[in-house]
Amino acid sequence: LQNSSNLSRIVIALGTLHGETYQPEKSLEALRTDAMLEVARVNYVLPMLWLAALAGGLRKVPDCRIAVLSARVGSIGDNGLGGWYSYRSAKAALNMGLKSAAIELARRAKGVKLIAYHPGTVDTRLSEPFQRGVPEGKLFAPPRAADCLGAVIESQSADGELAYLDWAGETVPW
């Protein structure tokens, strides 16, 4: 990246939960290699490759906050339901990758803050098939979700640590 000293706010917003040929798994017997690999590719591999592509240009930025869309279901400590194996595992892998990146960036790009961000349930194609069980007031319109993301990003400062935060700015357990 040339002229990267102007970078200040970055959002890496990639995710897949279901597609034409796969759905979140409700049982171990539902696991399929092709679906697991695709979910991992989109939810873990691609966001980390985006971060890797940015890394060299982050060395001299004075204040850059990077939010990467994670999910509460990627929390090992908050998993009380099981299921959704591929998505949960890919988001947990993303969180670990971001933790490692935060440690590295704390040494080589001190002006950077990484945030693993859980946006809540946003009214998009990703959540559409699963919205029936969402409690009243917990399904967010995209503009509200964007406002919450902006507020969380602005509430953080570079400290060499990875934050795992939800839409309300609350810490999500690892």
Side-chain angles (χ1 to χ4, degrees):
L1 291 171
Q2 305 209 355
N3 207 11
S4 60
S5 62
N6 295 330
L7 293 175
S8 66
R9 306 297 181 265
I10 298 169
V11 177
I12 299 174
L14 297 164
T16 186
L17 175 58
H18 57 89
E20 289 183 21
T21 61
Y22 61 93
Q23 292 290 321
E25 308 91 351
K26 295 180 182 176
S27 68
L28 286 166
E29 293 82 5
L31 294 175
R32 291 189 0 247
T33 302
D34 61 329
M36 293 175 78
L37 290 173
E38 177 62 7
V39 172
R41 184 182 75 80
V42 174
N43 289 292
Y44 165 62
V45 175
L46 291 177
M48 291 304 297
L49 290 175
W50 270 104
L51 190 56
L54 293 167
L58 296 173
R59 292 179 198 267
K60 295 183 181 179
V61 297
D63 179 25
C64 181
R65 299 163 208 174
I66 302 172
V68 183
L69 261 56
S70 184
R72 187 177 304 276
V73 298
S75 165
I76 293 171
D78 193 56
N79 182 356
L81 297 175
W84 289 28
Y85 290 90
S86 297
Y87 188 71
R88 284 182 187 277
S89 298
K91 291 299 188 179
L94 173 65
N95 293 342
M96 180 56 80
L98 293 173
K99 175 65 175 178
S100 293
I103 292 167
E104 179 179 347
L105 291 174
R107 290 191 302 262
R108 46 184 283 219
K110 295 187 185 310
V112 174
K113 174 67 174 184
L114 285 181
I115 305 161
Y117 182 72
H118 168 63
T121 304
V122 182
D123 190 6
T124 65
R125 287 186 296 152
L126 185 136
S127 70
E128 189 174 13
F130 313 100
Q131 292 177 4
R132 270 193 331 223
V134 177
E136 184 73 30
K138 294 293 186 176
L139 179 62
F140 303 140
R144 177 172 184 224
D147 288 345
C148 291
L149 171 60
V152 167
I153 289 172
E154 292 307 314
S155 74
Q156 299 298 298
S157 59
D159 61 5
E161 297 292 325
L162 170 64
Y164 188 10
L165 302 171
D166 70 9
W167 56 273
E170 299 293 322
T171 298
V172 177
W174 294 104

